Amino acid sequence: IDPVFNNQATGTVNHNSGLLRFDRGGTDAGNYTVASGATLQFNGGTRSISGNVIGAGNVSFTGSTVNYDLTGAYSIGGITTASFAHNVVSTLDFTGTTSLGTSYVQEGNGTTVTFQAVPTLTNLTAINSNYGNTSFPAGTTFPALTTLSKTQAGTLDFANSNLNLTSYTQTAGVVTGSGTITIPSGGTFNWGGGTLGGTGTLSTPVGATTNITGATALANTRTWNNGGSASPAMGGHNSSLDIATGALLNNLSSGVI
């Protein structure tokens, strides 16, 4: 839909299958319902969404130099994507009650995503943050999250949240917070670049594997307690770990580097 579309207060959009895309801005006081397998895409302009966006499907926020402000309830069972154009400023702001679904994907080096209230992320199993900045508020919990990927520039701030990740990949950017990131036995941290900062702890116990394959940094006062296997790549790789003043690496009795 290319013209401006306003979903008025008594209106309801039931999206049952396929892709429904809005290419202009608008005001949405009415509700959107997205069925399983369907994708609702907001693709341009400025949208103020005070109605509810709910359902078992997927929602994509895209476009160039866009601003989306969601003050109504957002509860999606599928994938939430924030994929904006590079080198321009775009914002996505969740103010109401928020549930991102099973997976969250982010793109765009001028992108900023914020949550004004603590989201409910009961079913979120994977975060793939490429470019851009994302800040989760203090008190956010991630009970189902097992996969985290931070691959490009930008900051991913988990505040005081604790994470238990069987698969953690970071090749660029900054991951920060005051909570504990645990890679459990059998889990893998593939660290190809970027900075792990904040005041929290990285815990890699017996059975966890850390592969350092690029220029990495342990920053601020982050403490890494390694009881597993940490292996820098050798031969043909520029592998390094820069430990900042105030940061700490503890190689525990079971740790192998």
Side-chain angles (χ1 to χ4, degrees):
I1 297 176
D2 186 62
V4 171
F5 178 83
N6 295 319
N7 188 16
Q8 297 183 353
T10 56
T12 298
V13 175
N14 292 316
H15 178 36
N16 296 318
S17 64
L19 172 67
L20 175 60
R21 190 178 77 190
F22 298 100
D23 286 342
R24 305 291 177 184
T27 300
D28 300 294
N31 297 328
Y32 291 88
T33 300
V34 188
S36 177
T39 298
L40 173 65
Q41 182 178 3
F42 298 106
N43 189 48
T46 296
R47 298 198 77 91
S48 177
I49 305 173
S50 59
N52 299 329
V53 181
I54 59 175
N58 311 305
V59 176
S60 294
F61 300 92
T62 60
S64 177
T65 315
V66 295
N67 298 284
Y68 299 121
D69 184 19
L70 285 81
T71 58
Y74 180 87
S75 182
I76 288 298
I79 300 170
T80 296
T81 301
S83 182
F84 302 120
H86 291 301
N87 302 318
V88 294
V89 175
S90 295
T91 62
L92 173 59
D93 190 21
F94 293 96
T95 302
T97 58
T98 302
S99 177
L100 295 177
T102 58
S103 181
Y104 174 71
V105 180
Q106 183 170 321
E107 280 277 4
N109 60 7
T111 302
T112 297
V113 178
T114 55
F115 300 84
Q116 301 300 328
V118 175
T120 301
L121 304 177
T122 307
N123 300 316
L124 184 68
T125 62
I127 294 176
N128 185 354
S129 175
N130 295 318
Y131 288 98
N133 305 309
T134 306
S135 297
F136 292 98
T140 304
T141 60
F142 298 85
L145 185 68
T146 58
T147 301
L148 173 63
S149 177
K150 177 61 180 165
T151 60
Q152 298 293 344
T155 298
L156 185 54
D157 188 350
F158 286 101
N160 63 349
S161 302
N162 297 321
L163 307 178
N164 192 64
L165 304 171
T166 57
S167 176
Y168 176 16
T169 298
Q170 185 176 0
T171 56
V174 177
V175 174
T176 189
S178 61
T180 297
I181 299 175
T182 300
I183 312 299
S185 178
T188 302
F189 178 17
N190 290 312
W191 202 359
T195 298
L196 180 57
T199 61
T201 299
L202 170 65
S203 176
T204 52
V206 176
T209 300
T210 303
N211 299 310
I212 299 175
T213 58
T216 62
L218 197 68
N220 307 121
T221 58
R222 173 73 64 169
T223 297
W224 178 9
N225 294 323
N226 178 55
S229 172
S231 304
M234 303 300 289
H237 294 275
N238 182 22
S239 301
S240 63
L241 173 60
D242 180 23
I243 302 176
T245 301
L248 181 63
L249 168 57
N250 293 317
N251 196 42
L252 305 180
S253 59
S254 59
V256 177
I257 297 179

